[in-house]
Amino acid sequence: MLVVTMFAWPAAAQVGGIPAFNVNEGDNGSTYSLSLQILALMTALTLLPSLVLGMTSFTRIIIVLSILRQAMGTQQTPPNQVLVAIALFLTFFIMAPTFTTLNDTVLAPYLDGQLSAEVALADGTAVMKEFLVQNTRVNDLVMFTEMVGDEPYADAQAVPLNVLLPAFITSELKTAFQIGFLLFLPFLVIDMVIASILMSLGMMMLSPMLVALPFKLLLFVLVDGWAMTVGSLVATYSVT
């Protein structure tokens, strides 16, 4: 029975293909079987963390929040899970206009059968390119363009992803460290003042970081630090 099945399977594949992995050509484009759609969905889910890190505002936000926690000297407070949750929620807030455009112009028409998979992928890439180009530094984009030996591109849609993605992530890292530097300065001043006072009083055995911590927290609360930090991060993005 096994031998018959082994010989019958290639014959069936030659006649009609494997039913679970068929691709039907029609007037409206290619139609993929349910198994192929599930396979594509699972592949997309495995790539989702990389896409969130590399094509959204998540990287800049999580780096700034990590630097802020280190500047305050609160060790593991807020914990990493809380920082990641804050970064995710802010990412959804910042990316909401882009995600809405993707849903209205790409996802909904594709699910309704109005767009083929190829057209939906191309349209979705075009929407993401608009966001990436708007929030990428020109110098970084020019640097990677010169690395691949291309001429300056006419518009955002002409920039290939192999150039745009590394330029965007490099720009995000630079901006995140600039914001982190500005956040670090006031806490550094408090550390220096507390250390000078303790040294002048001869309290060498008392940790300056321990004494400075309540003053840092007091300053951060008085200036409404979380609202200022979150508002500044959101304002650094262009989502129009």
Side-chain angles (χ1 to χ4, degrees), residues 34-239:
L34 180 61
S35 299
L36 278 179
Q37 295 181 20
I38 294 176
L39 179 62
L41 177 61
M42 297 302 295
T43 304
L45 290 177
T46 58
L47 296 176
L48 185 60
S50 299
L51 295 178
V52 171
L53 290 176
M55 299 182 67
T56 65
S57 57
F58 182 85
T59 300
R60 182 188 304 184
I61 296 171
I62 194 65
I63 291 176
V64 170
L65 294 180
S66 300
I67 294 177
L68 175 61
R69 182 178 65 180
Q70 185 176 359
M72 294 177 63
T74 54
Q75 302 300 325
Q76 294 299 319
T77 304
N80 292 330
Q81 295 86 343
V82 175
L83 293 185
V84 171
I86 296 173
L88 280 176
F89 293 148
L90 288 179
T91 299
F92 291 147
F93 179 80
I94 294 171
M95 301 294 297
T98 303
F99 290 159
T100 301
T101 303
L102 280 173
N103 181 71
D104 295 341
T105 62
V106 179
L107 183 59
Y110 171 71
L111 294 178
D112 293 338
Q114 301 174 5
L115 293 178
S116 63
E118 294 85 355
V119 175
L121 181 60
D123 292 348
T125 302
V127 174
M128 289 304 302
K129 279 185 178 181
E130 290 290 340
F131 172 81
L132 296 175
V133 171
Q134 288 178 3
N135 296 281
T136 302
R137 296 173 182 269
V138 177
N139 293 337
D140 296 327
L141 191 58
V142 170
M143 178 183 68
F144 283 96
T145 302
E146 294 176 349
M147 284 183 180
V148 297
D150 288 347
E151 297 294 330
Y153 303 104
D155 53 21
Q157 301 305 323
V159 184
L161 287 178
N162 66 311
V163 173
L164 183 55
L165 290 180
F168 174 76
I169 198 68
T170 303
S171 178
E172 289 291 281
L173 290 174
K174 182 176 181 179
T175 304
F177 277 93
Q178 288 178 340
I179 298 175
F181 170 76
L182 296 177
L183 289 174
F184 215 107
L185 284 180
F187 298 109
L188 180 61
V189 171
I190 293 178
D191 284 334
M192 295 176 63
V193 171
I194 295 298
S196 300
I197 293 175
L198 292 178
M199 185 175 297
S200 63
L201 294 176
M203 299 180 179
M204 301 296 185
M205 303 302 294
L206 191 59
S207 173
M209 294 183 60
L210 182 63
V211 178
L213 180 58
F215 293 98
K216 292 180 181 179
L217 296 177
L218 179 62
L219 173 65
F220 196 68
V221 171
L222 290 178
V223 301
D224 199 6
W226 285 113
M228 291 181 59
T229 303
V230 170
S232 300
L233 280 171
V234 174
T236 57
Y237 281 94
S238 173
V239 293

